[in-house]
Amino acid sequence: MLFNSYPFILLFLPVVLAGYFWFGRRSNLAPVIWLALASLAFYAIGSWQFVALLLLSIAFNYGVGHLLIVAKLTPPQRKAALALGVVGDLLVLGIFKYAGFATDNINALFGTHLAVHILLPVGISFYTFTQIAFLVDAYRGQVAAYALPHYALFVTYFPHLIAGPILHHKDMIPQFEREESKHPDPHLILCGMIIFAIGLFKKTCLADGIQPLVALAFDARAPSFDQAWLGALAYTFQLYFDFSGYSDMAIGISLMFGIFLPINFNSPYKATSIVDFWRRWHMTLSQFLRDYLYIPLGGNRRGRVLRYVNLLLTMLLGGLWHGAAWTFVIWGALHGVYLCVNHAFNALVPSVPAILARPVRFAGAVLTFLAVVAAWVFFRAERVDWALRILNAMADPANIVFGREEIAALVMVSIYAALVWLAPNTQAIMGYDHGNRRVGEAMRAGRMRPLVLYGASLVLALGILGIQSHSEFIYFRF
Amino acid sequence: MRSAVTSLKRLILASIACVLGAAALTFVVDPLQLFRPSRLVAAGYSEDTRVQNAGLIRSQSFDTAFMGTSLAIHFRQSDIDRALGVRSLKLAMTGSNSRQQGFVLEQAIDHGARRVIWAMDDFSFIAAADIEADPYLSVDLYRRTPRGIASYLFSAAMAKESLFALLRSIPPLRDPLTRAAPYLPVKFALSDVDDIYALPRNFDVARGYNAERTLAAFAYITDPVRSRFLGEGYGYEAMVRHFERDVAGLVTRHPDVTFDIYFPPYSILQFVAMRDASPATLKIVTDLTAHIAQRLSQLSNVRLYDFRAIKAVTHDLGNYSDVIHHSPVVDAMVLGWLASGEYRVDPNTPLASLEKLKAQVESYRVPQP
């Protein structure tokens, strides 16, 4: 089931909300069980064949976590339990996600004709990563014992289950345990609806609206210079509004239940360097990769060279996490190289005088954006040679069409660019403060004008009117 | 607390009001002309023919429907009318399959078409899935079911088009917006029905259609990396089934309608590519068209034409932009042949032109650069 669908908005969400608060008047545990069951139903409606796998994954990780938290194990036994948990998770992820890729490569290398056809369970990357983090923290002694319903809800919680943001148990489970969140808070529901409306608008009107232009570059046999750029930029904006729209919707829906989800985007295309970009794009993934991959690899504690190796490795694996294909590996490698260059630049070049700070920041933002667009070409292209073809076209200004279609596309891309660079982001509009569990303080204090409310109504209406019968989220494929 | 509850109610009620307002705007302006021909605002047309056709069938007056895929997309209605002495409605849809074509034609026949001109491509019979569940063509919109009407009225895209049409009808804005429309992100940007999916009148034909492009396309599709796509989806039994359901079924259901069906003049390289890179596909194509020719020859309300073996056209690679899409010069020839009856398949020897084509394909040698 999609957030941008009538059954979800008009039926599933109201019923689950009503049930949650109805149970909330009777018990502190029943709403948790209700929400976990609703989340399973949400998952089953779209991917019933993988419900058993999801339940098995929860049971396995909860069991291993229980060993690490409660059982009195010796240090080697604890290490073995952690290894069992992480290897088990990665094995399942590897089989479902990478077996086909591995087979294709073996066939290409050895001329064999092995065939593997395994469907990718929706959301497997997200629920596997959240649980690996849980196991690692349990091993480190940073986890208190959690009740199974709360743990199951943490993993299956439907606002995040399919496409993130990646949740952290320390952030979520205490919220599930709070009694106050089980009673309806009109202010949180109002703020949640507005954030949901913004996300829905981003997805149905903006992302789906620009999606046809992507074909200019990616479906064309030989795109011209302008077509390649317009198509690549269209994809750059489509991906942004698609994914950040999804994250906004997830945050908004969760807020209606009184639960604060972490922010996943902070205007990433306004980043002034690639390091800054990764602090603003898919922030929960960046944090996960930093805490559970980059730092365990040694981070920057083992000298400059190893730091660059660790960065490259982390981004390579980050790329592979997004998809089992060489295009994603190259995308990850490119970002790894970008990060290394960025860190080397910071280390080697002295800080600029104050008078030059602004132009340098501007140049940094332009360069960062161009680097990101070039990398998105690999992210989107079906194959490496297709991506190279598009990049070649982007570097060949001699071949320009600039006909009616391209001019219309340029107008559209310009509107999106203005939105991306000039409009405030959702958390700024709503004063969403995840850390302090605060949102819409201006609205609560009555400082928000009715115009904002009616603007939000229009955005919600347009978001609902923009729902199309065939639309999906890009991140569902990961 | 009370203020939040009030705001929540206001938000929901105002959203409902906006949704209903947008639906009312679309109903009144009716950019697709689904309910009535445009009167309040100047008519606009979209190149999204799968949607646009639903409105054209209801708002235009016509006696002849013209159908096909991208091979027939650039024909102009006015040219068809002039050449054949009819009042035509072009309904060709890029990449359409036979099921979509048959469905749209059935709607056109129900709304007055007494003659059908149909450019028939073999590949349109490959994947002709159930029309009722087709995500690319809304049968509900064509049939104006409550679901179809709701999807039309409760649509942000249509509300945007309606608003633009309304703005364009304001006298001081009319001219600048009409001129700017083709360059703006609006769909119903064309003011003349004749311009729907037609090449601009100042199009540089020599640049768009030439041997260099045709040979480059040939090299591309026969490249070993891609050549397997040549036969993708081709299956004789299924294609015959689709033909029987979508073409033969439609023709026999409407004995009072005349069907002028033709095999378009692809460049010879289309078949040579199959010959060299996918002979099994070539066999399916020739067997299928043999079946079609024999079957249609038996139907009294069909006039079948085969333009695939006209060497002067199909061997002149300068007529094409790739291995199949021909230039507007050939469009004019096609209309001329249809008007004169030239290259009409003799019902007594339905396979004669196919045999000629087979011989040409066998003997053809690709020019080397």
Side-chain angles (χ1 to χ4, degrees):
Chain A
M1 194 187 297
L2 298 172
F3 291 164
N4 57 323
S5 66
Y6 294 115
F8 177 81
I9 294 170
L10 302 177
L11 192 66
F12 184 84
L13 184 59
V15 167
V16 177
L17 267 173
Y20 180 72
F21 294 128
W22 188 81
F23 282 117
R25 287 193 299 193
R26 282 150 185 79
S27 133
N28 194 25
L29 182 63
V32 172
I33 296 171
W34 164 258
L35 206 46
L37 290 175
S39 297
L40 280 175
F42 175 85
Y43 190 75
I45 288 168
S47 315
W48 58 269
Q49 63 274 53
F50 298 121
V51 171
L53 179 72
L54 175 63
L55 291 173
L56 271 174
S57 174
I58 292 169
F60 172 74
N61 283 285
Y62 186 76
V64 175
H66 189 77
L67 281 178
L68 290 167
I69 300 162
V70 178
K72 293 190 175 10
L73 302 179
T74 61
Q77 285 173 325
R78 287 178 62 75
K79 203 168 256 181
L82 175 68
L84 171 76
V86 174
V87 169
D89 280 336
L90 292 180
L91 200 65
V92 172
L93 187 65
I95 289 170
F96 280 100
K97 195 159 179 171
Y98 302 107
F101 180 53
T103 311
D104 287 348
N105 284 300
I106 290 168
N107 287 341
L109 275 175
F110 302 109
T112 51
H113 298 282
L114 303 169
V116 174
H117 299 290
I118 301 176
L119 274 178
L120 181 68
V122 174
I124 188 169
S125 306
F126 288 94
Y127 67 71
T128 303
F129 270 33
T130 53
Q131 296 189 99
I132 287 175
F134 165 76
L135 292 182
V136 173
D137 286 357
Y139 174 77
R140 291 171 178 166
Q142 296 168 349
V143 183
Y146 297 138
L148 181 60
H150 295 81
Y151 179 79
L153 178 56
F154 154 64
V155 179
T156 60
Y157 189 42
F158 76 88
H160 100 106
L161 174 63
I162 289 172
I166 295 173
L167 302 183
H168 200 278
H169 58 94
K170 265 194 277 188
D171 181 30
M172 297 307 296
I173 294 182
Q175 292 196 72
F176 293 140
E177 289 170 340
R178 277 177 66 237
E179 211 214 314
E180 297 80 51
S181 63
K182 277 88 174 190
H183 303 292
D185 180 336
H187 175 71
L188 292 186
I189 295 174
L190 175 65
C191 292
M193 277 187 77
I194 296 175
I195 294 174
F196 177 79
I198 295 171
L200 185 65
F201 178 79
K202 279 183 184 174
K203 168 61 188 161
T204 62
C205 293
L206 297 180
D208 290 349
I210 202 167
Q211 187 265 335
L213 300 190
V214 175
L216 276 173
F218 292 93
D219 291 353
R221 187 179 294 170
S224 60
F225 173 76
D226 49 340
Q227 288 167 343
W229 270 105
L230 289 165
L233 287 170
Y235 181 67
T236 299
F237 294 133
Q238 185 209 353
L239 182 62
Y240 172 69
F241 285 115
D242 186 279
F243 194 17
S244 77
Y246 186 93
S247 294
D248 283 351
M249 280 191 270
I251 289 170
I253 293 164
S254 186
L255 208 51
M256 294 181 213
F257 291 95
I259 307 290
F260 283 73
L261 289 188
I263 295 171
N264 217 17
F265 287 87
N266 183 19
S267 302
Y269 293 156
K270 291 177 185 169
T272 53
S273 69
I274 210 77
V275 172
D276 189 24
F277 174 79
W278 278 104
R279 288 185 187 132
R280 292 163 171 264
W281 175 273
H282 206 342
M283 294 152 75
T284 56
L285 176 68
S286 302
Q287 283 154 17
F288 178 90
L289 292 175
R290 183 196 64 201
D291 294 345
Y292 298 99
L293 191 56
Y294 177 67
I295 291 175
L297 281 171
N300 56 3
R301 301 186 308 275
R302 295 182 183 163
R304 196 169 287 170
V305 175
L306 273 180
R307 176 198 202 176
Y308 295 142
V309 171
N310 290 339
L311 271 174
L312 265 175
L313 259 178
T314 304
M315 295 314 293
L316 267 176
L317 290 171
L320 208 51
W321 175 82
H322 279 88
W326 285 108
T327 48
F328 290 110
V329 175
I330 292 176
W331 173 78
L334 267 180
H335 273 280
V337 171
Y338 292 165
L339 284 170
C340 291
V341 170
N342 197 164
H343 283 292
F345 182 86
N346 290 345
L348 297 172
V349 178
S351 54
V352 291
I355 194 164
L356 288 177
R358 248 184 127 146
V360 166
R361 270 216 312 278
F362 178 75
V366 172
L367 196 61
T368 302
F369 183 71
L370 293 178
V372 167
V373 172
W376 285 144
V377 171
F378 284 98
F379 195 84
R380 170 63 173 76
E382 298 282 327
R383 292 206 319 258
V384 175
D385 57 333
W386 293 7
L388 291 173
R389 201 172 64 220
I390 294 164
L391 288 172
N392 275 334
M394 288 165 77
D396 178 17
N399 180 16
I400 291 180
V401 172
F402 211 54
R404 202 170 66 184
E405 199 182 352
E406 288 73 24
I407 296 172
L410 180 64
V411 171
M412 191 112 155
V413 164
S414 304
I415 294 169
Y416 278 68
L419 278 174
V420 161
W421 282 303
L422 303 179
N425 60 35
T426 310
Q427 55 267 31
I429 294 170
M430 291 306 296
Y432 186 81
D433 183 351
H434 165 249
N436 293 309
R437 309 279 188 250
R438 278 209 299 260
V439 60
E441 290 303 313
M443 195 182 279
R444 200 198 290 273
R447 291 200 301 276
M448 204 168 253
R449 282 177 294 178
L451 196 63
V452 175
L453 193 71
Y454 292 120
S457 307
L458 184 63
V459 167
L460 180 59
L462 288 174
I464 289 172
L465 288 167
I467 291 173
Q468 295 170 14
S469 52
H470 44 280
S471 169
E472 64 166 30
F473 290 100
I474 294 174
Y475 259 71
F476 272 21
R477 288 184 285 127
F478 307 139
Chain B
M1 175 78 88
R2 183 173 292 169
S3 121
V5 173
T6 309
S7 297
L8 197 53
K9 279 183 192 161
R10 273 189 195 163
L11 176 77
I12 293 168
L13 288 175
S15 299
I16 292 170
C18 289
V19 167
L20 295 177
L25 175 69
T26 300
F27 179 75
V28 171
V29 174
D30 192 12
L32 189 52
Q33 302 182 65
L34 195 66
F35 302 118
R36 66 197 90 83
S38 278
R39 277 188 221 103
L40 271 178
V41 298
Y45 303 94
S46 161
E47 295 205 332
D48 183 353
T49 46
R50 280 174 178 73
V51 175
Q52 180 62 79
N53 288 347
L56 288 179
I57 287 170
R58 289 182 180 271
S59 64
Q60 306 293 308
S61 105
F62 58 94
D63 56 30
T64 298
F66 185 89
M67 179 51 79
T69 61
S70 57
L71 270 296
I73 210 85
H74 291 309
F75 281 84
R76 280 184 185 275
Q77 284 183 185
S78 53
D79 293 335
I80 300 171
D81 294 356
R82 241 191 328 273
L84 303 179
V86 295
R87 190 153 187 195
S88 65
L89 182 63
K90 190 180 87 175
L91 299 167
M93 299 172 286
T94 296
S96 53
N97 61 48
S98 61
R99 190 74 192 95
Q100 294 169 338
Q101 294 175 1
F103 173 80
V104 172
L105 280 176
E106 186 111 55
Q107 303 296 312
I109 290 167
D110 289 348
H111 285 83
R114 300 274 58 89
R115 183 175 174 186
V116 168
I117 302 168
W118 200 340
M120 195 153 286
D121 299 295
D122 51 77
F123 49 79
S124 65
F125 297 105
I126 292 175
D130 181 12
I131 194 78
E132 303 297 330
D134 190 330
Y136 302 106
L137 188 137
S138 167
V139 293
D140 289 309
L141 195 62
Y142 281 83
R143 290 174 184 150
R144 281 208 328 204
T145 63
R147 190 190 163 107
I149 290 171
S151 72
Y152 174 55
L153 295 182
F154 294 96
S155 155
M158 284 300 169
K160 180 188 75 177
E161 299 296 336
S162 303
L163 193 61
F164 182 79
L166 207 58
L167 289 174
R168 196 169 50 179
S169 68
I170 298 170
L173 299 177
R174 186 176 298 150
D175 283 346
L177 283 183
T178 302
R179 274 199 303 275
Y183 306 101
L184 296 176
V186 286
K187 272 196 165 181
F188 292 81
L190 305 170
S191 47
D192 187 344
V193 71
D194 209 30
D195 289 336
I196 298 175
Y197 242 123
L199 287 173
R201 291 177 197 277
N202 59 354
F203 185 81
D204 184 349
V205 174
R207 193 174 171 211
Y209 298 86
N210 54 61
E212 198 185 336
R213 291 184 67 140
T214 310
L215 284 166
F218 175 78
Y220 185 86
I221 62 171
T222 52
D223 184 302
V225 174
R226 280 173 290 267
S227 58
R228 66 191 162 92
F229 294 122
L230 273 172
E232 201 168 65
Y234 278 80
Y236 179 75
E237 299 298 334
M239 291 169 85
V240 167
R241 241 189 351 264
H242 294 155
F243 164 77
E244 289 295 329
R245 180 192 61 190
D246 303 330
V247 181
L250 182 75
V251 171
T252 46
R253 270 199 306 282
H254 298 282
D256 53 332
V257 175
T258 303
F259 287 82
D260 287 304
I261 298 176
Y262 70 86
F263 294 126
Y266 304 136
S267 87
I268 189 74
L269 292 185
Q270 162 74 351
F271 302 103
V272 172
M274 292 178 186
R275 179 198 73 186
D276 293 350
S278 185
T281 308
L282 180 61
K283 174 148 181 24
I284 291 172
V285 167
T286 50
D287 287 355
L288 175 75
T289 54
H291 174 87
I292 293 174
Q294 285 167 320
R295 182 80 166 90
L296 292 181
S297 296
Q298 295 162 2
L299 300 170
S300 59
N301 55 334
V302 174
R303 294 188 293 233
L304 180 67
Y305 301 80
D306 192 346
F307 303 141
R308 295 174 302 175
I310 309 172
K311 220 169 167 179
V313 172
T314 61
H315 285 51
D316 179 355
L317 303 183
N319 282 326
Y320 298 88
S321 62
D322 54 36
V323 295
I324 54 172
H325 293 94
H326 55 69
S327 80
V329 177
V330 180
D331 284 352
M333 291 181 191
V334 167
L335 292 177
W337 297 328
L338 287 170
S340 66
E342 211 179 343
Y343 303 112
R344 187 172 166 193
V345 172
D346 180 350
N348 298 316
T349 53
L351 303 183
S353 62
L354 178 63
E355 293 306 326
K356 208 162 126 188
L357 172 68
K358 281 181 179 175
Q360 287 176 6
V361 172
E362 206 166 308
S363 62
Y364 189 83
R365 294 292 163 263
V366 180
Q368 296 305 313

